[in-house]
Coordinates of all heavy atoms in Angstrom, one line a residue:
G558 N 75.1 172.3 29.3 CA 75.1 171.3 30.4 C 74.4 170.0 30.1 O 74.2 169.1 30.9
K559 N 73.9 169.8 28.9 CA 73.2 168.6 28.5 C 74.1 167.4 28.6 O 73.7 166.3 29.0 CB 72.6 168.8 27.1 CG 71.8 167.6 26.7 CD 71.3 167.9 25.3 CE 70.4 166.7 24.8 NZ 69.9 166.8 23.4
F560 N 75.3 167.6 28.2 CA 76.3 166.4 28.3 C 76.5 166.0 29.7 O 76.5 164.8 30.0 CB 77.6 166.9 27.6 CG 78.6 165.8 27.6 CD1 78.6 164.7 26.6 CD2 79.7 165.8 28.5 CE1 79.5 163.7 26.6 CE2 80.6 164.8 28.5 CZ 80.5 163.8 27.5
I561 N 76.7 166.9 30.6 CA 76.9 166.6 32.0 C 75.7 165.9 32.6 O 75.8 165.0 33.4 CB 77.3 167.9 32.8 CG1 78.6 168.5 32.3 CG2 77.4 167.5 34.3 CD1 79.8 167.6 32.4
E562 N 74.5 166.5 32.2 CA 73.3 165.9 32.7 C 73.1 164.4 32.3 O 72.7 163.6 33.1 CB 72.1 166.7 32.2 CG 70.8 166.3 32.9 CD 69.6 167.2 32.4 OE1 69.9 168.3 31.8 OE2 68.5 166.8 32.6
E563 N 73.5 164.1 31.1 CA 73.4 162.8 30.6 C 74.3 161.8 31.4 O 73.9 160.7 31.7 CB 73.6 162.7 29.1 CG 72.6 163.4 28.2 CD 72.9 163.4 26.8 OE1 74.1 163.0 26.4 OE2 72.1 163.8 25.9
Q564 N 75.5 162.3 31.6 CA 76.5 161.5 32.3 C 76.1 161.3 33.8 O 76.2 160.2 34.3 CB 77.9 162.2 32.2 CG 78.4 162.5 30.8 CD 78.2 161.4 29.9 OE1 78.6 160.2 30.1 NE2 77.6 161.7 28.7
S565 N 75.5 162.3 34.4 CA 75.1 162.2 35.7 C 74.0 161.2 35.9 O 73.9 160.4 36.8 CB 74.6 163.5 36.3 OG 75.7 164.5 36.3
H566 N 73.0 161.2 34.9 CA 71.9 160.2 34.9 C 72.4 158.8 34.8 O 72.0 157.9 35.6 CB 71.0 160.5 33.7 CG 69.8 159.6 33.7 ND1 68.7 159.7 34.6 CD2 69.5 158.6 32.9 CE1 67.9 158.7 34.3 NE2 68.3 158.0 33.3
E567 N 73.4 158.6 34.0 CA 74.0 157.2 33.9 C 74.7 156.8 35.1 O 74.6 155.7 35.6 CB 74.9 157.1 32.7 CG 74.2 157.2 31.3 CD 75.1 157.0 30.2 OE1 76.3 156.5 30.4 OE2 74.7 157.2 29.0
F568 N 75.4 157.8 35.8 CA 76.1 157.5 37.0 C 75.2 157.2 38.1 O 75.4 156.2 38.9 CB 77.0 158.8 37.4 CG 77.5 158.7 38.8 CD1 78.6 157.9 39.1 CD2 76.9 159.4 39.9 CE1 79.1 157.8 40.4 CE2 77.4 159.3 41.2 CZ 78.6 158.5 41.4
Y569 N 74.0 157.9 38.2 CA 73.1 157.7 39.3 C 72.5 156.3 39.1 O 72.3 155.5 40.1 CB 71.9 158.7 39.2 CG 72.3 160.1 39.6 CD1 71.6 161.2 39.1 CD2 73.5 160.3 40.4 CE1 72.0 162.5 39.4 CE2 73.9 161.7 40.7 CZ 73.1 162.7 40.2 OH 73.5 164.0 40.4
E570 N 72.2 155.9 37.9 CA 71.6 154.6 37.6 C 72.5 153.5 38.1 O 72.1 152.5 38.8 CB 71.3 154.4 36.1 CG 70.5 153.2 35.8 CD 70.1 153.1 34.4 OE1 70.2 154.1 33.7 OE2 69.7 152.0 33.9
V571 N 73.8 153.6 37.7 CA 74.8 152.5 38.1 C 75.0 152.5 39.6 O 75.1 151.5 40.3 CB 76.1 152.7 37.3 CG1 77.2 151.8 37.9 CG2 75.9 152.5 35.8
F572 N 75.2 153.8 40.2 CA 75.4 153.9 41.6 C 74.3 153.3 42.5 O 74.4 152.5 43.4 CB 75.7 155.3 42.0 CG 75.8 155.5 43.5 CD1 77.0 155.2 44.2 CD2 74.7 156.0 44.2 CE1 77.1 155.4 45.5 CE2 74.8 156.2 45.6 CZ 76.0 155.9 46.2
D573 N 73.0 153.7 42.1 CA 71.8 153.3 42.8 C 71.8 151.7 42.8 O 71.5 151.1 43.8 CB 70.6 153.8 42.2 CG 70.5 155.3 42.4 OD1 71.4 155.9 43.1 OD2 69.6 156.0 41.8
N574 N 71.9 151.2 41.6 CA 71.9 149.7 41.5 C 72.9 149.0 42.4 O 72.6 148.0 43.1 CB 72.0 149.3 40.0 CG 71.7 147.9 39.8 OD1 70.8 147.3 40.3 ND2 72.6 147.2 39.1
A575 N 74.2 149.5 42.3 CA 75.3 148.9 43.1 C 75.0 149.0 44.6 O 75.2 148.1 45.4 CB 76.6 149.5 42.7
F576 N 74.6 150.2 45.1 CA 74.4 150.5 46.5 C 73.3 149.6 47.0 O 73.4 149.1 48.2 CB 74.1 152.0 46.7 CG 74.0 152.3 48.1 CD1 75.1 152.5 49.0 CD2 72.7 152.5 48.7 CE1 74.9 152.8 50.3 CE2 72.5 152.8 50.0 CZ 73.6 153.0 50.8
L577 N 72.2 149.5 46.3 CA 71.1 148.7 46.8 C 71.4 147.2 46.8 O 70.7 146.5 47.5 CB 69.8 149.0 45.9 CG 69.2 150.4 46.1 CD1 68.1 150.6 45.2 CD2 68.7 150.6 47.6
H578 N 72.4 146.8 46.1 CA 72.8 145.4 46.3 C 73.5 145.2 47.7 O 73.3 144.0 48.2 CB 73.9 145.0 45.2 CG 73.2 144.4 44.0 ND1 72.8 145.2 42.9 CD2 73.0 143.1 43.6 CE1 72.3 144.4 42.0 NE2 72.4 143.2 42.4
I579 N 74.1 146.2 48.2 CA 74.8 146.1 49.5 C 73.8 146.4 50.6 O 73.7 145.8 51.6 CB 76.0 147.0 49.6 CG1 77.0 146.7 48.5 CG2 76.7 146.9 50.9 CD1 78.1 147.7 48.4
Y580 N 72.9 147.4 50.4 CA 72.0 147.9 51.4 C 70.5 147.8 50.8 O 69.9 148.9 50.5 CB 72.3 149.3 51.9 CG 73.6 149.4 52.5 CD1 74.7 149.8 51.7 CD2 73.8 149.2 53.8 CE1 76.0 149.9 52.3 CE2 75.1 149.3 54.4 CZ 76.2 149.7 53.6 OH 77.4 149.8 54.1
P581 N 70.0 146.6 50.6 CA 68.7 146.5 49.9 C 67.6 147.1 50.7 O 66.6 147.5 50.1 CB 68.5 145.0 49.8 CG 69.4 144.4 50.9 CD 70.6 145.3 51.0
D582 N 67.7 147.2 52.1 CA 66.6 147.8 52.9 C 67.0 149.2 53.4 O 66.5 149.6 54.4 CB 66.4 146.9 54.1 CG 65.9 145.5 53.6 OD1 65.2 145.3 52.7 OD2 66.4 144.5 54.3
F583 N 67.8 149.9 52.5 CA 68.3 151.2 53.0 C 67.1 152.2 53.2 O 67.1 152.9 54.2 CB 69.2 151.7 52.0 CG 70.0 153.0 52.4 CD1 70.9 152.9 53.4 CD2 69.7 154.2 51.9 CE1 71.6 154.0 53.9 CE2 70.4 155.3 52.3 CZ 71.3 155.2 53.3
L584 N 66.1 152.2 52.3 CA 65.0 153.1 52.4 C 64.2 152.9 53.7 O 63.8 153.7 54.4 CB 64.1 153.0 51.2 CG 62.8 153.8 51.2 CD1 63.1 155.3 51.4 CD2 62.0 153.6 50.0
T585 N 64.0 151.5 54.0 CA 63.2 151.2 55.2 C 63.9 151.7 56.5 O 63.3 152.2 57.4 CB 63.0 149.6 55.2 OG1 62.4 149.2 54.0 CG2 62.2 149.2 56.4
H586 N 65.2 151.4 56.5 CA 66.0 151.9 57.7 C 66.0 153.3 57.8 O 65.9 153.9 59.0 CB 67.4 151.3 57.6 CG 67.5 149.8 57.8 ND1 67.2 149.2 59.0 CD2 67.9 148.8 57.0 CE1 67.4 147.9 58.9 NE2 67.8 147.6 57.7
V587 N 66.1 154.1 56.7 CA 66.2 155.5 56.8 C 64.8 156.1 57.3 O 64.7 156.9 58.2 CB 66.5 156.1 55.4 CG1 66.3 157.7 55.4 CG2 68.0 155.9 55.1
N588 N 63.7 155.6 56.7 CA 62.4 156.0 57.1 C 62.1 155.7 58.6 O 61.4 156.4 59.3 CB 61.3 155.3 56.3 CG 61.2 156.0 54.9 OD1 61.5 157.2 54.8 ND2 60.7 155.3 53.9
A589 N 62.8 154.6 59.1 CA 62.6 154.3 60.6 C 63.2 155.4 61.4 O 62.9 155.5 62.6 CB 63.2 153.0 60.9
L590 N 64.2 156.2 60.9 CA 64.9 157.2 61.6 C 64.1 158.5 61.5 O 64.4 159.5 62.2 CB 66.3 157.4 61.1 CG 67.2 156.1 61.3 CD1 68.6 156.4 60.7 CD2 67.4 155.8 62.8
L591 N 63.1 158.6 60.6 CA 62.5 159.9 60.3 C 61.0 159.9 60.9 O 60.5 158.8 61.3 CB 62.3 160.1 58.8 CG 63.6 160.2 58.0 CD1 63.3 160.3 56.5 CD2 64.5 161.3 58.5
R592 N 60.5 161.1 61.1 CA 59.2 161.2 61.7 C 58.2 160.6 60.7 O 58.4 160.6 59.4 CB 58.8 162.6 61.9 CG 59.6 163.3 62.9 CD 59.0 164.7 63.3 NE 58.6 165.4 62.2 CZ 59.3 166.3 61.5 NH1 60.6 166.5 61.9 NH2 58.8 167.0 60.5
P593 N 57.1 160.0 61.1 CA 56.1 159.3 60.2 C 55.6 160.3 59.1 O 55.4 159.9 57.9 CB 55.0 158.9 61.1 CG 55.7 158.7 62.4 CD 56.7 159.8 62.5
D594 N 55.4 161.6 59.4 CA 54.9 162.5 58.5 C 56.0 163.1 57.5 O 55.7 163.8 56.6 CB 54.2 163.7 59.2 CG 55.2 164.4 60.1 OD1 56.1 163.8 60.6 OD2 55.0 165.6 60.3
A595 N 57.3 162.7 57.8 CA 58.4 163.2 57.0 C 59.2 162.2 56.3 O 60.3 162.4 55.9 CB 59.3 164.1 57.9
R596 N 58.6 161.0 56.2 CA 59.3 159.9 55.5 C 59.5 160.0 54.0 O 58.6 160.7 53.4 CB 58.7 158.6 55.9 CG 58.9 158.2 57.4 CD 58.2 157.0 57.8 NE 58.4 156.7 59.2 CZ 57.8 155.8 59.9 NH1 56.8 155.2 59.4 NH2 58.1 155.6 61.2
I597 N 60.4 159.4 53.5 CA 60.8 159.5 52.0 C 59.9 158.6 51.3 O 59.8 157.4 51.6 CB 62.3 159.3 51.8 CG1 63.1 160.4 52.6 CG2 62.6 159.4 50.3 CD1 64.6 160.1 52.6
E598 N 59.3 159.1 50.2 CA 58.6 158.2 49.3 C 59.2 158.4 47.9 O 59.3 159.5 47.3 CB 57.1 158.6 49.2 CG 56.4 158.3 50.6 CD 54.9 158.6 50.5 OE1 54.4 158.9 49.3 OE2 54.2 158.5 51.5
L599 N 59.6 157.2 47.2 CA 60.2 157.3 45.9 C 59.1 157.3 44.8 O 58.0 156.7 45.0 CB 61.1 156.1 45.7 CG 62.3 156.0 46.6 CD1 63.0 154.7 46.4 CD2 63.3 157.1 46.3
K600 N 59.4 157.9 43.7 CA 58.5 157.9 42.6 C 58.6 156.6 41.8 O 59.6 155.8 42.0 CB 58.9 159.1 41.6 CG 58.8 160.4 42.2 CD 59.3 161.5 41.3 CE 59.2 162.9 41.9 NZ 59.7 164.0 41.0
P601 N 57.6 156.2 41.1 CA 57.6 155.0 40.3 C 58.9 154.9 39.4 O 59.2 155.8 38.7 CB 56.4 155.0 39.5 CG 55.5 155.9 40.2 CD 56.3 157.0 40.9
G602 N 59.6 153.7 39.5 CA 60.8 153.5 38.7 C 62.0 154.1 39.3 O 63.1 153.9 38.8
E603 N 61.9 154.8 40.4 CA 63.0 155.5 41.0 C 63.6 154.5 42.1 O 62.9 153.9 42.9 CB 62.5 156.8 41.7 CG 63.6 157.8 41.9 CD 63.1 159.1 42.5 OE1 62.1 159.1 43.2 OE2 63.7 160.1 42.2
M604 N 65.0 154.3 42.1 CA 65.7 153.5 43.0 C 66.1 154.3 44.2 O 65.9 153.8 45.4 CB 66.9 152.8 42.4 CG 66.5 151.7 41.4 SD 67.8 150.7 40.8 CE 68.7 152.0 39.7
L605 N 66.8 155.4 44.0 CA 67.1 156.4 45.1 C 66.8 157.8 44.5 O 66.9 158.0 43.3 CB 68.6 156.2 45.4 CG 69.1 154.9 46.0 CD1 70.7 155.0 46.2 CD2 68.5 154.7 47.4
N606 N 66.6 158.7 45.5 CA 66.5 160.1 45.1 C 67.7 160.8 45.7 O 68.6 160.2 46.3 CB 65.2 160.7 45.6 CG 64.9 160.6 47.1 OD1 65.9 160.4 47.8 ND2 63.7 160.8 47.5
T607 N 67.7 162.2 45.5 CA 68.9 163.0 46.0 C 69.0 162.8 47.5 O 70.2 162.7 47.9 CB 68.6 164.5 45.6 OG1 68.5 164.6 44.2 CG2 69.9 165.3 46.0
D608 N 68.0 162.8 48.3 CA 68.1 162.7 49.8 C 68.8 161.4 50.1 O 69.7 161.3 50.9 CB 66.7 162.7 50.4 CG 66.1 164.1 50.4 OD1 66.9 165.1 50.5 OD2 64.9 164.3 50.4
L609 N 68.3 160.3 49.5 CA 68.9 159.0 49.8 C 70.3 158.8 49.3 O 71.1 158.2 49.9 CB 68.0 157.9 49.2 CG 66.6 157.7 49.8 CD1 65.7 156.8 49.0 CD2 66.7 157.3 51.3
R610 N 70.6 159.5 48.1 CA 72.0 159.4 47.6 C 73.0 160.1 48.6 O 74.1 159.6 48.8 CB 72.1 160.0 46.2 CG 71.4 159.1 45.1 CD 71.7 159.6 43.8 NE 70.8 158.9 42.8 CZ 69.8 159.5 42.2 NH1 69.4 160.7 42.5 NH2 69.0 158.8 41.4
I611 N 72.6 161.2 49.1 CA 73.4 161.9 50.0 C 73.7 161.1 51.3 O 74.8 160.9 51.7 CB 72.8 163.3 50.4 CG1 72.8 164.2 49.2 CG2 73.6 163.9 51.6 CD1 72.1 165.5 49.5
L612 N 72.6 160.4 51.8 CA 72.7 159.6 52.9 C 73.6 158.3 52.6 O 74.3 157.7 53.4 CB 71.4 159.2 53.5 CG 70.5 160.3 54.0 CD1 69.1 159.8 54.4 CD2 71.2 160.9 55.3
A613 N 73.4 157.8 51.3 CA 74.1 156.6 50.9 C 75.6 156.9 50.9 O 76.5 156.1 51.3 CB 73.7 156.2 49.5
F614 N 76.0 158.1 50.4 CA 77.5 158.4 50.4 C 78.0 158.5 51.8 O 79.1 158.1 52.1 CB 77.7 159.8 49.6 CG 77.8 159.6 48.2 CD1 76.8 159.9 47.3 CD2 79.0 159.1 47.6 CE1 76.9 159.7 45.9 CE2 79.1 158.9 46.2 CZ 78.1 159.2 45.4
M615 N 77.1 159.1 52.7 CA 77.6 159.2 54.1 C 77.7 157.8 54.7 O 78.7 157.5 55.5 CB 76.5 159.9 54.9 CG 76.4 161.4 54.6 SD 75.0 162.2 55.4 CE 75.4 162.0 57.1
R616 N 76.8 156.8 54.3 CA 76.9 155.4 54.9 C 78.2 154.8 54.3 O 78.8 154.0 55.0 CB 75.7 154.6 54.4 CG 75.7 153.2 54.9 CD 75.7 153.2 56.4 NE 75.9 151.8 57.0 CZ 77.0 151.2 57.2 NH1 78.2 151.8 56.9 NH2 77.1 150.0 57.8
L617 N 78.6 155.1 53.1 CA 79.8 154.5 52.5 C 81.1 155.2 53.1 O 82.2 154.8 52.7 CB 79.8 154.7 51.0 CG 78.7 153.8 50.3 CD1 78.6 154.1 48.8 CD2 79.0 152.3 50.6
G618 N 80.9 156.2 54.0 CA 82.1 156.8 54.6 C 82.5 158.1 54.0 O 83.5 158.7 54.4
I619 N 81.8 158.6 53.0 CA 82.0 159.9 52.4 C 81.2 160.9 53.1 O 80.0 161.2 52.7 CB 81.8 159.9 50.9 CG1 82.6 158.8 50.2 CG2 82.1 161.3 50.2 CD1 82.3 158.6 48.8
E620 N 81.7 161.5 54.2 CA 80.8 162.4 55.0 C 81.0 163.8 54.7 O 80.2 164.7 55.0 CB 81.2 162.1 56.5 CG 80.9 160.7 57.0 CD 81.2 160.6 58.5 OE1 80.5 161.3 59.3 OE2 82.0 159.7 58.8
E621 N 82.2 164.2 54.1 CA 82.4 165.6 53.8 C 81.5 166.1 52.7 O 81.3 165.5 51.6 CB 83.8 165.8 53.3 CG 84.9 165.5 54.3 CD 85.3 164.0 54.2 OE1 84.6 163.3 53.5 OE2 86.2 163.6 54.9
S622 N 80.8 167.2 53.0 CA 79.8 167.8 52.0 C 80.5 168.1 50.7 O 79.9 168.1 49.6 CB 79.1 169.0 52.7 OG 78.4 168.6 53.8
T623 N 81.7 168.6 50.8 CA 82.5 169.0 49.6 C 82.6 167.9 48.6 O 82.3 168.0 47.4 CB 83.9 169.5 49.9 OG1 83.8 170.5 50.9 CG2 84.6 170.1 48.7
R624 N 83.0 166.7 49.1 CA 83.2 165.5 48.2 C 81.9 165.0 47.7 O 81.7 164.6 46.5 CB 83.9 164.4 49.0 CG 85.3 164.7 49.4 CD 86.0 163.5 50.1 NE 86.0 162.4 49.2 CZ 86.3 161.1 49.6 NH1 86.6 160.9 50.9 NH2 86.3 160.1 48.7
I625 N 80.8 165.1 48.5 CA 79.5 164.7 48.0 C 79.0 165.6 46.9 O 78.5 165.2 45.9 CB 78.5 164.7 49.2 CG1 78.9 163.6 50.3 CG2 77.1 164.4 48.7 CD1 78.0 163.7 51.5
A626 N 79.2 166.9 47.1 CA 78.8 167.9 46.1 C 79.6 167.6 44.8 O 79.0 167.7 43.7 CB 79.1 169.3 46.6
Q627 N 80.9 167.3 44.8 CA 81.6 167.0 43.6 C 81.1 165.8 42.9 O 80.9 165.8 41.6 CB 83.1 166.9 44.0 CG 83.8 168.1 44.4 CD 85.2 167.8 44.9 OE1 85.6 166.7 45.1 NE2 86.0 168.9 45.2
V628 N 80.8 164.8 43.6 CA 80.3 163.5 43.0 C 79.0 163.7 42.4 O 78.7 163.2 41.3 CB 80.4 162.4 44.0 CG1 79.8 161.1 43.3 CG2 81.8 162.1 44.5
L629 N 78.1 164.3 43.1 CA 76.7 164.5 42.6 C 76.5 165.7 41.7 O 75.4 165.9 41.2 CB 75.8 164.6 43.9 CG 75.6 163.4 44.8 CD1 74.7 163.6 46.0 CD2 75.1 162.2 44.0
N630 N 77.5 166.5 41.6 CA 77.5 167.6 40.7 C 76.5 168.7 41.2 O 75.7 169.3 40.4 CB 77.2 167.2 39.2 CG 77.5 168.3 38.2 OD1 78.4 169.1 38.4 ND2 76.7 168.4 37.1
Y631 N 76.5 168.9 42.5 CA 75.7 169.9 43.2 C 76.6 170.9 43.8 O 77.8 170.6 44.1 CB 74.8 169.3 44.2 CG 73.6 168.5 43.7 CD1 73.5 167.1 43.9 CD2 72.6 169.2 43.0 CE1 72.4 166.4 43.4 CE2 71.5 168.5 42.6 CZ 71.4 167.1 42.7 OH 70.3 166.4 42.2
S632 N 76.0 172.1 44.1 CA 76.8 173.1 44.9 C 76.9 172.7 46.3 O 76.1 171.9 46.8 CB 76.1 174.5 44.7 OG 74.9 174.5 45.4
L633 N 77.9 173.2 47.0 CA 78.1 172.9 48.3 C 76.9 173.3 49.2 O 76.5 172.6 50.1 CB 79.4 173.6 48.8 CG 79.8 173.3 50.3 CD1 80.1 171.8 50.5 CD2 81.1 174.1 50.6

Side-chain angles (χ1 to χ4, degrees):
K559 184 179 180 181
F560 180 79
I561 297 299
E562 185 179 345
E563 290 177 355
Q564 306 313 310
S565 296
H566 180 73
E567 291 186 11
F568 170 76
Y569 295 154
E570 184 176 350
V571 173
F572 174 78
D573 294 351
N574 188 48
F576 182 79
L577 289 175
H578 268 87
I579 302 175
Y580 301 93
D582 300 322
F583 190 68
L584 175 59
T585 303
H586 288 296
V587 170
N588 279 334
L590 299 175
L591 301 177
R592 299 193 312 272
D594 61 328
R596 288 173 179 169
I597 300 171
E598 294 185 6
L599 294 174
K600 297 176 181 178
E603 204 174 32
M604 291 187 288
L605 295 175
N606 60 16
T607 303
D608 288 332
L609 291 173
R610 288 190 191 102
I611 291 172
L612 296 175
F614 275 104
M615 292 171 62
R616 180 64 185 86
L617 292 173
I619 304 173
E620 298 183 61
E621 297 87 349
S622 297
T623 306
R624 292 183 62 192
I625 296 174
Q627 289 173 349
V628 175
L629 295 180
N630 197 30
Y631 287 112
S632 68
L633 183 60

